[in-house]
Amino acid sequence: MVDATIGHGSHSYLFGITLGSEGVIVGLDVDENAIRRAQLKLKDLACKVILVHSNFSQISEQIRAQGIEEVDFILADLGVSSAQLSDVELGLSFQTNMPLDMRIDQRLKTTAADIVNTADEKFLADLIYRFGQDRASRRIARFIVRHRCREPIATTVQLAAIVCRALSRPGQKRKPRIHPATRTFQALRIAVNNELENLERLLVSAPSLLRKNGRIAIISFHSLEDRLVKKDFKQNEDKGIYKIITKKPIVPTQEEIGANPRSRSAKLRIAERR
Ligand SMILES: C[S@@+](CC[C@H](N)C(=O)[O-])C[C@H]1O[C@@H](n2cnc3c(N)ncnc32)[C@H](O)[C@@H]1O
């Protein structure tokens, strides 16, 4: 199997304990720290574990480089881990003050600070609208540009405060359901890490890697990702390539959301190669 987002190796561990010595797990991750953590977690499994510091957009090349032609299972649990959210070096969270970076893969060149300090106002507004689905995108972009004329935007808390100012309404009584900066941060993270493009590449590569009856399972955390997965599975079903296993996505129970609030937006979709 391929775990395209090995993270801490928790999912792979659960699969790995059911595999014998003939089983092989190839794990990919763009974060080198994740690879190191997963190595520790998976070190006592009976099956073979191969961990590669790679983007899953390169899944075909990486699997073939291991001399593997076909696999039984591809798993991708998209987004970032809780450890990454609190990692000061990655600069993903507005809950703690961090340098505004957002590159999960340190080999990438452009940071979120580069984008907010150099992109023109229309580009910023379009980005926040498209990837953050925030209807106030133009106003947020205007506030960002106005602020950076006075001083560069260098930290996550600084950016969150600018977005809050852009969205605050005098006399507003009700507290918003999500933090006002959530959508802008999502948009920048998607842009910095090319998240949607990478997912599209993974989806395009999967059919030629999966053996007959092999399965692909994708857990997504926002509607832009879920829409891509849903559309790809449906198109491949229409072409006779996949059979969709989950007519409706599998979502967490209230009990799971209670125990793990970050799971609240997770959607799992599974398809089987014909
Ligand atoms: C939600 S965590 C996965 C947790 C994992 N399932 C576990 O059991 O510990 C998502 C992981 O995917 C990685 N990731 C995100 N985008 C990636 C990409 N395009 N290619 C490879 N890894 C990626 C992140 O670095 C992160 O470690």
Side-chain angles (χ1 to χ4, degrees), residues 26-76:
V26 180
L28 309 177
D29 207 292
V30 282
D31 180 356
E32 252 185 318
N33 291 327
I35 298 279
R36 271 194 286 275
R37 276 191 218 113
Q39 223 141 25
L40 272 181
K41 173 107 182 172
L42 306 174
K43 68 180 187 343
D44 295 327
L45 290 177
C47 63
K48 187 169 171 187
V49 177
I50 303 167
L51 300 178
V52 190
H53 179 210
S54 167
N55 196 300
F56 56 55
S57 62
Q58 304 290 309
I59 188 170
S60 294
E61 295 86 331
Q62 294 298 349
I63 296 305
R64 305 254 147 81
Q66 301 301 328
I68 300 169
E69 284 304 315
E70 286 182 324
V71 301
D72 294 299
F73 184 39
I74 297 173
L75 171 68

Side-chain angles (χ1 to χ4, degrees), residues 3-13 28-31 34 37 54-57 75-82 84 104-105 193-195 198-199 219 221 262:
D3 185 341
T5 53
I6 196 85
H8 292 212
S10 307
H11 284 157
S12 272
Y13 181 79
L28 309 177
D29 207 292
V30 282
D31 180 356
R37 276 191 218 113
S54 167
N55 196 300
F56 56 55
S57 62
L75 171 68
D77 177 14
L78 302 172
V80 290
S81 64
S82 304
Q84 288 170 328
I104 303 171
D105 187 342
N193 296 290
N194 299 318
E195 291 184 11
N198 292 332
L199 175 57
I219 305 171
F221 287 86
R262 283 201 62 222

Side-chain angles (χ1 to χ4, degrees), residues 117-168:
N117 287 303
T118 62
D120 72 40
E121 189 176 322
K122 179 172 182 318
F123 180 92
L124 271 178
D126 290 347
L127 187 147
I128 295 166
Y129 185 72
R130 192 160 153 237
F131 295 151
Q133 296 166 299
D134 198 318
R135 276 177 293 157
S137 58
R138 305 221 167 275
R139 195 172 155 79
I140 296 169
R142 196 176 341 124
F143 271 64
I144 289 175
V145 169
R146 210 186 283 163
H147 188 99
R148 78 185 188 202
C149 291
R150 294 199 304 276
E151 55 161 0
I153 302 165
T155 69
T156 55
V157 163
Q158 206 183 354
L159 177 63
I162 296 166
V163 179
C164 285
R165 274 200 298 281
L167 299 184
S168 73

Side-chain angles (χ1 to χ4, degrees), residues 209-229:
L209 280 173
L210 284 170
R211 182 170 294 151
K212 186 172 162 45
N213 299 329
R215 288 185 173 191
I216 176 165
I218 309 228
I219 305 171
S220 62
F221 287 86
H222 55 75
S223 59
L224 295 170
E225 289 171 344
D226 184 54
R227 222 179 284 156
L228 286 181
V229 177

